[in-house]
Amino acid sequence: MNDRGDVMQPGRRRFLRTSALGAAALPVAMLGNSAAAAEAGAGSIKLPASILALQPVKSQIVPITDDERRRRLARAQELMGKSGMDAIYLDGGTTLDYYTGMRWWTSERLMGMLLPRSGDPVYITPAFERSRALEQIRFGHDVRTWQENESPYALIAQVMREKRAGTGTLGIEEKVPFFRSTGIAEAMPQAKLVLATPVTAGCRSIKSPAELALMQVANNATLALYKAVWQGLEPGMTQQHIAAWVEAGYTRMGLRGDASINVGTYTALPHGSREPQVIREGTPVMLDDGCYVEGYMSDITRTFTLGKASDKMKRVFDIVRKAQQAALAAAHPGAAMESVDAAARKVIADADYGPGYKYFSHRLGHGIGMDMHEWYYLVEGNTRKIEAGMTFSDEPGIYIPGEFGVRLEDDMHVGADGARWFTPQSPSIERPFG
């Protein structure tokens, strides 16, 4: 397996989401009275005192500044020079947001940005969207428009010729749809199209202090919510009860997020099941996912029981906990990414839950930031070296078919002297929050 980021997914494990997030989908400024919004989001399900005690986190949030985004654009142009690209094209989505703060989303109509190796960005938009684009643009003022009976690809080719790069190299963001990239290629037959990943991942995989601070708020919020859920749980509750609590809890904090909940034998499936599940005394519960803070994400998993766990559950939990610690210790600048996976996998295999993927059936972790899954992956075969500023999930697990599973997940950030978790490790399967 290679370390390319062109398979990253913005989210998963959302089997139990309600049909709409309701109040939890609203931005902080629109929430108004958080308690009322939370009650509305929870519907007729009674909220426990622990969820009602959650407080807004807005005062902890410091948004990314335009000065930081200017540095990102300059860094992208520096990396374009090193990679031999004359320009890169970005569709609407997370990476455009990263560089410009503009939250455009792609459709069948091309609406994106060309960033040349030097100079200001050039924005390509349908003519009827020009005014909406101008409302958001903060870097440069060159907006090119195309009418519905015209080709946006020909417009891109024209801009590239103006930049004296019509026969040069254009980097295409990996999430640009295939039909779009082929349209650009047909309009520029003498040019070379390549993946822009060395530029986009080269920037986004290294987090600034401001990004780490936002991720810290997101991780703190998710852990606080999980603890509030655990404190309120009672036997006989269903996934739907917990999903409503999660929605209400994040709403009270002024955030949006969700969680997957799996119980008993379904915890042996890494991403769970849609099947109805009821919490019983002594059965394992797996709570997983995260929230957004100013576009930055958390991803945490806790596995626990209500009341007493079996000796086997305790033993498996302790093995997974040691594997998670081993991975943290192995994650430092200069280490091969596969070595972090190997460190955790060795602990699990040495405890007779190997070999390979037999019981620990997925990679150790993934990059995380503005997307829940982004560059790069902690997995066998990825020899890329870790750099200071990178952030990853650390999520070993043991899954015993027909019995139960345990996964522990915390996000970690790598500094010059090694890795640290954003959140404290879970101490035990019976007391997951100490």
Side-chain angles (χ1 to χ4, degrees):
M1 181 176 292
N2 62 30
D3 60 17
R4 281 172 49 186
D6 53 348
V7 293
M8 65 182 182
Q9 299 293 326
R12 77 280 182 260
R13 297 180 295 207
R14 291 178 168 84
F15 297 134
L16 299 172
R17 292 181 68 173
T18 53
S19 59
L21 280 174
L26 296 174
V28 173
M30 295 177 64
L31 284 171
N33 185 298
S34 60
E39 293 287 1
S44 60
I45 293 178
K46 183 178 179 181
L47 300 178
S50 54
I51 295 291
L52 294 172
L54 294 170
Q55 297 295 316
V57 300
K58 185 177 181 180
S59 64
Q60 304 169 33
I61 297 172
V62 179
I64 300 298
T65 65
D66 282 352
D67 283 344
E68 177 156 335
R69 291 193 177 95
R70 288 189 186 92
R71 290 192 293 270
R72 293 173 179 180
L73 289 166
R75 174 62 176 161
Q77 291 175 321
E78 177 186 348
L79 291 175
M80 288 159 58
K82 292 180 179 179
S83 300
M85 299 180 200
D86 296 291
I88 60 172
Y89 172 74
L90 309 176
D91 252 357
T94 312
T95 300
L96 184 66
D97 186 1
Y98 172 83
Y99 285 117
T100 68
M102 297 188 303
R103 295 183 179 176
W104 291 356
W105 302 106
T106 190
S107 72
E108 77 280 6
R109 292 185 175 98
L110 185 146
M111 187 172 183
M113 181 185 82
L114 269 174
L115 180 65
R117 190 187 301 183
S118 62
D120 290 334
V122 178
Y123 304 92
I124 313 293
T125 177
F128 71 89
E129 295 280 24
R130 177 182 172 85
S131 61
R132 186 165 70 97
L134 289 170
E135 287 179 351
Q136 296 189 50
I137 290 171
R138 303 201 287 272
F139 306 101
H141 57 273
D142 192 348
V143 180
R144 309 295 182 91
T145 62
W146 56 278
Q147 296 290 354
E148 294 277 58
N149 63 338
E150 297 175 332
S151 168
Y153 312 122
L155 185 53
I156 289 175
Q158 175 186 324
V159 174
M160 289 291 286
R161 288 193 296 271
E162 291 174 11
K163 301 295 181 182
R164 299 185 179 179
T167 60
T169 299
L170 175 62
I172 303 291
E173 183 194 5
E174 63 196 52
K175 285 194 170 184
V176 171
F178 181 74
F179 78 87
R180 185 113 68 226
S181 59
T182 53
I184 295 171
E186 289 170 0
M188 300 176 58
Q190 305 306 314
K192 180 180 180 182
L193 270 60
V194 299
L195 277 173
T197 305
V199 176
T200 56
C203 292
R204 286 182 56 190
S205 65
I206 307 298
K207 306 299 190 290
S208 70
E211 292 178 286
L212 293 176
L214 291 171
M215 293 179 69
Q216 186 67 65
V217 175
N219 278 271
N220 290 347
T222 295
L223 194 65
L225 175 68
Y226 285 9
K227 182 177 181 179
V229 168
W230 174 73
Q231 289 173 328
L233 286 180
E234 296 178 359
M237 294 184 63
T238 66
Q239 299 146 296
Q240 286 68 36
H241 285 97
I242 301 171
W245 288 8
V246 168
E247 179 179 345
Y250 278 133
T251 300
R252 294 188 69 82
M253 289 188 279
L255 304 174
R256 59 188 179 94
D258 53 16
S260 68
I261 306 99
N262 289 283
V263 182
T265 58
Y266 294 106
T267 60
L269 305 174
H271 285 171
S273 170
R274 302 189 201 199
E275 290 299 311
Q277 299 164 43
V278 178
I279 296 173
R280 308 291 184 194
E281 192 82 21
T283 58
V285 178
M286 187 179 289
L287 191 59
D288 178 25
D289 234 304
C291 68
Y292 296 84
V293 171
E294 283 289 317
Y296 287 83
M297 297 201 67
S298 57
D299 190 8
I300 297 176
T301 305
R302 288 292 179 264
T303 305
F304 52 83
T305 59
L306 287 187
K308 295 293 183 181
S310 70
D311 289 343
K312 186 174 184 179
M313 291 175 192
K314 292 177 183 178
R315 178 173 179 269
V316 169
F317 182 97
D318 288 343
I319 295 166
V320 172
R321 191 173 191 272
K322 290 175 182 175
Q324 193 187 34
Q325 291 171 330
L328 183 79
H332 56 80
M337 293 184 183
E338 66 177 358
S339 69
V340 184
D341 178 281
R345 206 164 296 276
K346 183 179 187 304
V347 172
I348 289 172
D350 286 351
D352 298 326
Y353 284 99
Y357 290 82
K358 184 175 181 180
Y359 292 100
F360 178 13
S361 55
H362 53 77
R363 66 193 173 204
L364 183 277
H366 53 81
I368 184 169
M370 293 184 76
D371 289 309
M372 184 172 280
H373 284 199
E374 59 182 45
W375 317 272
Y376 292 97
Y377 304 119
L378 305 177
V379 65
E380 181 180 0
N382 187 359
T383 58
R384 177 180 286 273
K385 299 296 190 287
I386 293 174
E387 299 177 56
M390 288 183 169
T391 50
F392 303 95
S393 68
D394 179 357
E395 50 179 309
I398 293 175
Y399 310 94
I400 306 171
E403 295 188 44
F404 66 92
V406 171
R407 179 169 66 253
L408 296 176
E409 178 181 17
D410 293 280
D411 301 327
M412 59 183 177
H413 54 98
V414 181
D417 58 347
R420 292 181 174 84
W421 286 309
F422 286 96
T423 43
Q425 193 180 27
S426 182
S428 77
I429 194 167
E430 294 177 348
R431 302 290 297 177
F433 304 96

